[in-house]
Amino acid sequence: MLPKLTRYTRPESLEEALKLLREPGSAPLAGGTQFLAAANPDIEQVVDLQALDWRRIEVAPGWLRLGSLATLAELAQAEALSGPAGGLLRQAARRAGPNTFRNAATLGGLVGARLPVSELLAALLALGAELELAGEAPETVALDAYLDEPRGLIAAVRLPWPQAGAGGAHAIGRTPADTPIVHVTAWAGADGTRLAAGGVGARVARLARAEQALAQGVEAAVSAAAALEPPGDFRGSAEYRRAMLGVLLRRVLRDCGVKD
Amino acid sequence: MDIQLTLNGERLTWAVGPRERLLDVLRREGCFSVKHGCETGECGACAVLLDGQLAATCTLLAAQADGHALETVEALSRPGQPLHVIQQAYVDTGAIQCGYCTPAMVMATLALLRRNPDPSEAEARDALSGVLCRCTGYVKPVLAALRAARAMRGEALPPIDFGQGHEAPPGLFGGRPGGGAPSQADEPATPRGDGASTLLARVIPDLLIRAEGRKSVGQSEPKKDALKLVKGTPSFTADMEQRGLLHGKLLTSPHAHARIRHIDTRAAEALPGVHAVITYRNVPRVFYASGGQSYPNPQPWDQLSFDTKVRYVGDRVAAVAAETPEIAQRALALIEVDYEVLPAVFDPEAAMQPGAPMVHDEPDAIGILDARRNLVCHIDALVGDMAEGFAAADHLFAREYRVHQVQQTPIEPHVVTTWWDGDERLNVLTATQVPFHVRRMLAPLVGLPARRIRVIKPRIGGGFGVKQEMLIEDVCAHLTIATGRPVKLEYTREEEFRSSRSRHPQIIRYRAGVKNDGTLTALDMRVIGNTGAYGTHGLTVQTCTGLRGLSTYNCPSRRFDCDVVYTNLPAPGAYRGYGAPQAHFATESLMDEIAAELGLDNLELRRRNWVKIGDALPMGGQLGEGAGAIPTVLSSGLEQCVAQGMAAIGWHRKFDPAWRAAPGQPHKRRGLGVAICMHGTAIPGLDMGAASVKLNDDGSFNLLVGATDLGTGSDTVLSQIAAEVLGVPSEDVLIYSSDTDLTPFDTGAYASSTTYISGTAVKKACEEVRGQIFKVAAEILKLDSTEGLRLGGRQVWAPDGQSVSLERVALHATHVHNQHQIMASASYVSPECPPPFAAQFVEVEVDTETGVIEVKKIVMAVDCGVAVNPATASGQVEGGMLQALGYGLCEEMAYDDEGRLLTTRFGDYRIFAAHEMPEVQVILVETEEPSGPFGAKAVAEIPLDGAAAALANALYDATGVRVRQIPLTPERVWQALRAAEARRSPVEESEAA
C-alpha cells in the first residue's frame, strides 16, 4: 500500500527527471522489485526512469560502463562481461535471485537499495566499481563511498576494464538459492586484493582491515576480519556469521590463488 | 491516468490509478489466470510476460506497463480452442496439481522456449525458478517444459512412462532382500530414463491387478480439471465476481497478549466508503473451535469471532468492509484500540509453571482442562506394563527431540466471498477443505440456521491442512450480515503467515528399553505440544503424534503421555502429516541412535521390530477419534519399499570409504540416511464420504461427491473409480464436488481419507447404479435375469454376446417404458485404517566447516496400495517431499522476543524453488489392500513423515554428529559439529579458550 502516492511520472529526459525528483515526496522507480514490496507510505510521486537511455552495457577504453537501468538478467548474459572479472559479475548477477527478479531488478536499483546482503554488490566492490551520479553537478564516486553516504541519482556503474586477475565468491544459505547468511567475494588484481562481504554488517562492505592485514598472510586477514561485529538474526547469529566470515575468506583467497 | 499497452496482441487503453498494481488491473480487466499469491514478487503466481520476459506483476505499477506488451496464458488457447503444446505437455505429464501457479509456469516455459528451443534440465529449472509451487516438487513441471521443447522442435513425442508396472524381481516379495549388507547388486527396479519420458518406477507385486483387466483404475489419466487450470479460466474463489462487492480487512493485534480496554470505531465508520466495522461489541459472543472436524468438535471451544482479549501478535481485533481494499486498509488505521498489555509466555514448559501468564482467563470458555496452568488437555495411553518392559531390556535409552513451527503456505492464501442470494440464504464461496464442517460450525456464530447457509468450494489453490479450519469465513459472513452486501476477504501473504495456522512445535522425550539383539521391550513417549493461543487441532494432532510414534514398531510395553499447552504464539492447526512428521523425526532418529549404540545395522534393527501383515496396532485402539477396535495390518509392502529405496539411493555406498570422503574437498563428508514411515488412512469409524451417481439420457453419468478436491486430483481419482465400475471412459463421468446444497456429505479433504473413504462410497454408489442398469438392460435384451451381465465400452454385455448401449438403457429408462431415473447414492465409513508404508532415503554432502547440508538426492518408495492414478499418486509424493525437506532443513517460523513473527514473506520463510531441488525419485510399491476400493489406501500425508529424520540420520552417517532438533540449519549443524569437536579434543579446546 502506498496511500499517499498520487502521481506517476515518466520523464523523457534527465533534466525533467531531476526536476521531478526535487519535488517533495518523490522517489525514483526502476524495476520495482523493492519499491512496491517495501511500500514506503510517505511517497507521493514516483518518477519512473525507464524512458532514460541508461540501459546500455558498453566497453570503453579502460572502462566497463554498466547503465544503471540494465537488468540483472541482462548483466548475467552480457557478452561484454568477459574474462574472470566478467565471470565474477555474471555469476553474482545470476545468483541474485530467481528469473522473475533478475528480469525486473536493475543494477541501479540494487545499488540504491544498499542491501545488507548482495553478492553482486560485493563483486562490484571487489572490482573497484565507481558510480556516475547524475545531477546539477555530475560526479563520480566510489561505490563504497556511496554505500556509506548515498546521494544523487545513479546513471551508471563504472569499472576499470579489462581487469587481469583472479576472483572468488562463496556464500552460505539455508538452501542453495536462499538469500545468503554470509557471503564473501575477493578479487586479486594488479593493484592488490580487494575483499567485500555481506551479512556481517548493516551493508555489504569492503573488508578494509582484512585487506590491509593480508600482507601478513591469509590468517592475519582472517583475524582482522574477526574484529567485525555482525548483526544476528533468524538466519544466523552474530557468532556464526563472524566464524563463517573467516571460513569463507580462506576459501575465496584460495580461489584467487592468494597464498599464506 | 490512461495507459496504452498490448495485451495478448490486442492494443488497449486502460484507465488506471497511479498506485494500482499491474496484478490488480490485469485481474480487474478479466485476466484471471494472473493469480495473487504474495505482495513481494517472490511467489511468481502473478507472473506474465512483459516484452517477452517473465515478470511478477505484484511488484509492478500498472503505469509502468504503459507502452509495453503483455502476454498471459489466456492468449495461448481461447475457450473452445485446442491447447498450446506447452499446455498440452503440462496436462500430459501430470504437472498440474492445484493449478494455481500453472498459468505462470506455462508462461515461464514459453519465455524459455522462445529463446532456447533445446534447454537443458538446469535451464528449464532456472526458467521456473521464479514460480514457487507447493504441490509438485517441480518434478513434473520440469518434465513438461522439456517435453514441450521437443514438441515445439517438431520432434516425435515418446509416450510418457508413468511406470507401466513390472513384476518384482524374484525374491523381493515375501522373501528377504539384501538387508543392511553392502551389495553392488542394488539395482533400481526401473532405471531412470533420459528425464524426458520416465517419470517413476512402479512395482506391482500382484499380477491379479492387471489380470482383472482394469481399464481406468491404475491409469495415469489427465486431471479432470486440467483444462480450466491450464487455460487459467476463472475457477478459484477470488476469480468469481459479484456486483456490489465490498472488501473485508482484518485489524490484528500488535501485542502477543493484551486486554482490549476500549475500542473506538467512530472515525473508521465515518470514512466514506466504509460500510461496517465489527468488533466484540457488535458480534455475538459464541465460543467455538475453528478446527474443521466432525461433530461434536473436540473441545476446548476457546475462540470467539472477536474477543476483549488478544492472545498472539496477529490475533483478531476488528474487521472492516469497504468499497475498496484501500479504503478498508485506511479504515483499519482509524480504529483506536486501547490495549492493556499483559505478560506473555512463549515457552510451553514455562507456560505450565505456577504464576505463568494465563492465556485463557475468560471464565466462559468451554472444555479447557486447566486454564490456570495453560493446559488444554492431557492425553495418555498404555499398552502392556512399562515396568515389565523396562525390566526385560538390556539397554535403556533416553533422548529428547525438538521440532519447530512451520507453515503450510499454499500459494493461494485464505480467501472467501459471502453474499445473500435471492432466497436470502447466506452463500459462502470459500477456499476450504471442509465445506460441510464450515456450514455446521458457521451457523451458530452468525445466528443463522444451517439451512440458511450454503457453502460452495470452487477450485482450491492448495491447502495442506491450513484450510481444514473455519479460519475467516465467520468474519466475512458477519460483514455480509452487517452490510447486506457481498464481501470478499482475502489474506495477504503477510496475514497468511501471521494469522493463519501452522504445524505444532513439540518437545518429544523418548525412553526406550531394548534387548541386545535390538528387540524393543518398552517405548515410553512423553510429548509437550505447543498449541499456541487456541486449542483448535491441539488435542487431535498430539493424539496422532502418539499414535504414529508408537505404532510402527511392535513392542510389548508402550506408553504415551502428553500435555497440550497454550502459549502466546499463533495457533498451529492441521498440517499435512498431522502430528506424524513430529513423531517420525523423533522415532526414526531414535532407531538410528539405538542401532549405532548397539552396533547393529540400522535397517536390520528396524526390520526386527516393524509391524508386519497380521500384526495388531494396539495404540490404534486407544489413540484417535475413532478409537475403539484394534486395527490389524492387512497389507504391507514395507520390505519391498526398503529394498527398492536402497537400490535407488545406492545404499551400498554407505559402506564405501572412498565414496564417503569427497575427493579434493577434505571438509566435505557424504552420508546416506533412512527413515521408515507408516501412516494411517482416514479416521476409522468417523470419517464418512458419500456420493450420488445419476445416469443421463446420453449414457453419461453425473457423479456428485462431498469430497473436496483441493488440488490433489481427487476428482480425477474418484471419476476413475466410477468409470471402472460403470464400464465407461472417465470422460463420461461428469464430476462435481463439494457444495453443501448439491452434493452429499463428506467430512472433507483431510486424514488421507479421500481415495479410501470417498472412493469406496463412489464405488458402492456406482455398483448400485450398475444393478439398476442391468435391470433395464435385461428388459431390453429380453433376458430372464441380470445374471452374468457386465459393463464395458459403454455397453451392457450379456453372457451370450448380445449388448445394449448405456445410451439406449438411459433413453429406455427415461422415455420408453417403466420410466424412472437410474440413480443411487451411497456412503462409506470404515472400521479399518490400513496403514500405507514408505521408506525414505536421502543422500547428503555436509560441509563440516560451515554446517551446510547439501541434499543430493531424495528417494521415497511408498506402498499406497493400488495407485488408482500413478501420476497423481507420485505427484503427491514429489510435492510432499518438498515440504518435508523444508521441514527438515530450512523452513521455520521465527519470532522476536515479543512474539512478533519475523518471517512474514517468502524469501525470509524459505521454501524450495525449482532450481535448487535435489534429484527426486519416487517408487510406488503397490500392494492390494483388501479393505480399500480396488486395493487402494492412502498416499497424501506419508511423504511428509520421513525426510527430517532421514536427514538427521544422514548427517550422523556423514559426520558422526547427532542433532536432535530441526530444522538442520547451517548454524545448528555447525554448532553441533563444533561441540562434538570440543568433546573429542577437550585439551586443545581449553587451551584455545
Side-chain angles (χ1 to χ4, degrees), chain A residues 5-218:
Chain A
L5 176 59
T6 52
R7 294 189 307 283
Y8 169 90
T9 54
R10 192 188 287 183
E12 299 282 336
S13 69
L14 174 60
E15 295 67 33
E16 194 188 344
L18 291 170
K19 182 168 158 285
L20 289 165
L21 282 168
R22 277 193 298 271
E23 293 173 12
S26 291
L29 174 64
T33 51
Q34 284 145 51
F35 180 81
L36 271 158
N40 178 347
D42 297 326
I43 291 173
E44 296 166 36
Q45 168 169 276
V46 286
V47 182
D48 186 346
L49 304 174
Q50 64 170 275
L52 301 185
D53 181 22
W54 279 358
R55 198 162 177 162
R56 272 176 294 164
I57 296 169
E58 54 201 348
V59 181
W63 291 100
L64 172 68
R65 188 175 183 280
L66 309 169
S68 69
L69 293 177
T71 64
L72 303 190
E74 286 162 348
L75 283 185
Q77 289 153 16
E79 284 177 16
L81 273 57
S82 56
L88 199 64
L89 284 173
R90 282 204 315 276
Q91 176 190 285
R94 196 168 55 243
R95 290 181 47 83
N99 63 341
T100 41
F101 179 80
R102 300 193 306 263
N103 289 341
T106 64
L107 181 60
L110 187 97
V111 173
R114 302 195 300 149
L115 300 172
V117 168
S118 163
E119 291 193 77
L120 184 53
L121 277 184
L124 291 169
L125 284 170
L127 290 166
E130 298 175 349
L131 304 181
E132 289 178 16
L133 299 180
E136 285 91 83
E139 57 175 331
T140 300
V141 300
L143 174 57
D144 46 5
Y146 175 90
L147 293 176
D148 283 342
E149 191 188 340
R151 60 186 182 276
L153 193 59
I154 304 162
V157 177
R158 293 200 325 188
L159 297 149
W161 207 259
Q163 290 200 38
H170 282 274
I172 295 170
R174 295 169 297 178
T175 68
D178 191 15
T179 304
I181 304 167
V182 182
H183 63 86
V184 183
T185 301
W187 177 253
D191 55 347
T193 299
R194 275 191 291 264
L195 300 168
V200 290
R203 279 184 294 283
V204 180
R206 287 270 293 276
L207 301 173
R209 274 194 275 183
E211 287 176 6
Q212 285 157 17
L214 204 48
Q216 279 84 53
V218 171

Side-chain angles (χ1 to χ4, degrees), chain B residues 267 573 627 646 778 897:
Chain B
M646 286 170 69
D897 293 342

Side-chain angles (χ1 to χ4, degrees), chain A residues 1-10 29-39 43-44 46 48-50 55 71 73-74 77 94-95 97-104 170-179 181 232-244 246-248 250-251 254, chain B residues 1 18-19 21 39-42 44 47 53-61 63-68 108 115 126-131 249 325-326 329-330 667-668 847-854 889-892 894-895 902-903 905 907-913 915-916 969-971 974-975 978:
Chain A
M1 264 314 153
L2 294 151
K4 290 190 190 163
L5 176 59
T6 52
R7 294 189 307 283
Y8 169 90
T9 54
R10 192 188 287 183
L29 174 64
T33 51
Q34 284 145 51
F35 180 81
L36 271 158
I43 291 173
E44 296 166 36
V46 286
D48 186 346
L49 304 174
Q50 64 170 275
R55 198 162 177 162
T71 64
E74 286 162 348
Q77 289 153 16
R94 196 168 55 243
R95 290 181 47 83
N99 63 341
T100 41
F101 179 80
R102 300 193 306 263
N103 289 341
H170 282 274
I172 295 170
R174 295 169 297 178
T175 68
D178 191 15
T179 304
I181 304 167
D233 70 3
F234 61 88
R235 282 191 171 83
S237 68
E239 178 197 14
Y240 179 67
R241 287 166 193 267
R242 195 179 300 114
M244 290 307 103
V247 170
L248 298 189
R250 288 189 193 97
R251 289 185 185 181
R254 197 179 311 134
Chain B
M1 60 182 291
R19 52 178 178 263
R21 300 182 301 177
E39 296 72 35
T40 55
E42 287 165 299
Q53 303 261 24
L54 193 73
T57 54
C58 70
T59 47
L60 282 171
L61 291 173
Q64 284 178 277
D66 187 16
H68 295 278
R115 65 169 191 274
D126 185 68
L128 296 173
S129 63
V131 184
K249 200 85 192 148
E326 206 177 293
Q329 185 74 44
R330 294 223 309 271
H667 58 286
K668 294 272 180 83
D847 185 327
T848 57
E849 289 178 350
T850 63
V852 170
I853 297 178
E854 187 186 349
L889 271 187
C890 55
E891 294 180 30
E892 181 167 27
Y895 298 90
L902 299 168
T903 47
R905 58 186 276 181
D908 288 343
Y909 187 88
R910 183 73 195 177
I911 73 175
F912 269 86
H915 58 325
E916 52 183 349
T969 56
E971 177 162 5
W974 175 76
Q975 294 281 13
R978 217 168 53 136

Side-chain angles (χ1 to χ4, degrees), chain B residues 431-467:
Chain B
T432 184
Q433 297 172 225
V434 285
F436 288 89
H437 293 337
V438 165
R439 179 173 63 168
R440 176 175 46 82
M441 291 158 59
L442 182 60
L445 299 196
V446 295
L448 289 173
R451 67 175 180 278
R452 286 191 64 199
I453 300 173
R454 176 183 181 184
V455 178
I456 306 159
K457 176 221 74 107
R459 292 294 97 189
I460 305 297
F464 319 113
V466 81
K467 293 171 181 167

Side-chain angles (χ1 to χ4, degrees), chain B residues 560-574:
Chain B
F560 182 59
D561 178 275
C562 173
D563 287 316
V564 184
V565 184
Y566 287 125
T567 61
N568 292 110
L569 290 180

Side-chain angles (χ1 to χ4, degrees), chain B residues 245-579:
Chain B
L245 183 72
L246 300 177
H247 298 268
K249 200 85 192 148
L250 265 178
L251 180 69
T252 60
S253 167
H255 305 293
H257 199 190
R259 211 174 298 282
I260 300 174
R261 285 201 200 98
H262 183 68
I263 190 161
D264 187 343
T265 58
R266 285 171 298 181
E269 281 157 344
L271 186 70
V274 171
H275 288 255
V277 181
I278 55 174
T279 68
Y280 67 89
R281 294 168 63 179
N282 54 6
V283 165
R285 186 175 174 88
V286 181
F287 278 96
Y288 71 105
S290 63
Q293 308 205 42
S294 284
Y295 167 87
N297 285 53
Q299 291 181 350
W301 300 342
D302 55 4
Q303 289 170 267
L304 297 162
S305 285
F306 294 97
D307 197 0
T308 53
K309 198 175 163 190
V310 288
R311 298 179 179 84
Y312 70 94
V313 178
D315 204 356
R316 298 170 175 189
V317 174
V320 169
E323 297 283 344
T324 68
E326 206 177 293
I327 296 172
Q329 185 74 44
R330 294 223 309 271
L332 294 186
L334 296 174
I335 298 172
E336 286 177 32
V337 188
D338 179 14
Y339 293 103
E340 176 195 351
V341 178
L342 303 171
V345 62
F346 307 110
D347 178 84
E349 293 188 292
M352 288 190 283
Q353 297 306 312
M358 243 175 110
V359 179
H360 283 272
D361 54 358
E362 70 279 15
D364 45 349
I366 297 160
I368 298 172
L369 176 66
D370 183 353
R372 196 158 291 284
R373 292 180 56 217
N374 289 312
L375 272 181
V376 178
C377 58
H378 181 82
I379 311 162
D380 52 45
L382 177 68
V383 168
D385 182 302
M386 296 313 292
E388 261 179 39
F390 281 113
D394 298 317
H395 306 271
L396 296 180
F397 290 84
R399 296 287 188 276
E400 178 181 299
Y401 303 92
R402 285 178 184 249
V403 292
H404 62 304
Q405 195 175 14
V406 291
Q407 204 172 59
Q408 299 87 341
T409 68
I411 304 303
E412 178 199 42
H414 281 84
V415 54
V416 53
T417 304
T418 53
W419 68 95
W420 290 114
D421 66 15
D423 298 317
E424 303 205 346
R425 294 171 72 228
L426 184 73
N427 281 234
V428 182
L429 180 74
T430 178
T432 184
Q433 297 172 225
V434 285
F436 288 89
H437 293 337
V438 165
R439 179 173 63 168
R440 176 175 46 82
M441 291 158 59
L442 182 60
L445 299 196
V446 295
L448 289 173
R451 67 175 180 278
R452 286 191 64 199
I453 300 173
R454 176 183 181 184
V455 178
I456 306 159
K457 176 221 74 107
R459 292 294 97 189
I460 305 297
F464 319 113
V466 81
K467 293 171 181 167
Q468 195 202 332
E469 291 270 340
M470 192 196 58
L471 191 77
I472 54 174
E473 285 89 348
D474 60 321
V475 176
C476 204
H478 285 307
L479 290 171
T480 281
I481 290 168
T483 60
R485 296 268 293 264
V487 177
K488 181 166 92 173
L489 180 59
E490 181 176 23
Y491 265 180
T492 62
R493 182 54 54 183
E494 183 171 340
E495 289 169 330
E496 188 71 27
F497 275 120
R498 272 192 216 290
S499 304
S500 69
R501 297 287 181 260
S502 50
R503 193 185 295 293
H504 288 81
Q506 292 177 348
I507 302 166
I508 302 172
R509 298 189 178 116
Y510 257 123
R511 291 199 310 134
V514 191
K515 283 187 172 298
N516 283 328
D517 67 358
T519 306
L520 294 170
T521 63
L523 272 178
D524 190 0
M525 188 185 198
R526 158 88 181 139
V527 170
I528 298 166
N530 184 344
T531 194
Y534 297 103
T536 173
H537 287 269
L539 166 70
T540 42
V541 163
Q542 266 59 228
T543 299
C544 279
T545 297
L547 177 63
R548 298 271 71 93
L550 294 170
S551 291
T552 310
Y553 300 103
N554 290 318
C555 180
S557 306
R558 296 176 231 184
R559 180 165 65 190
F560 182 59
D561 178 275
C562 173
D563 287 316
V564 184
V565 184
Y566 287 125
T567 61
N568 292 110
L569 290 180
Y575 182 1
R576 195 175 180 188
Y578 206 78

Side-chain angles (χ1 to χ4, degrees), chain B residues 9 106 121 146 305 325 432 492 494 526 546 731 745 783 849 872 880 904 917:
Chain B
V106 167
E121 180 179 329
L146 296 176
S305 285
T432 184
T492 62
E494 183 171 340
R526 158 88 181 139
E731 68 194 62
F745 178 84
L783 301 172
E849 289 178 350
T872 60
T904 58
M917 283 294 288

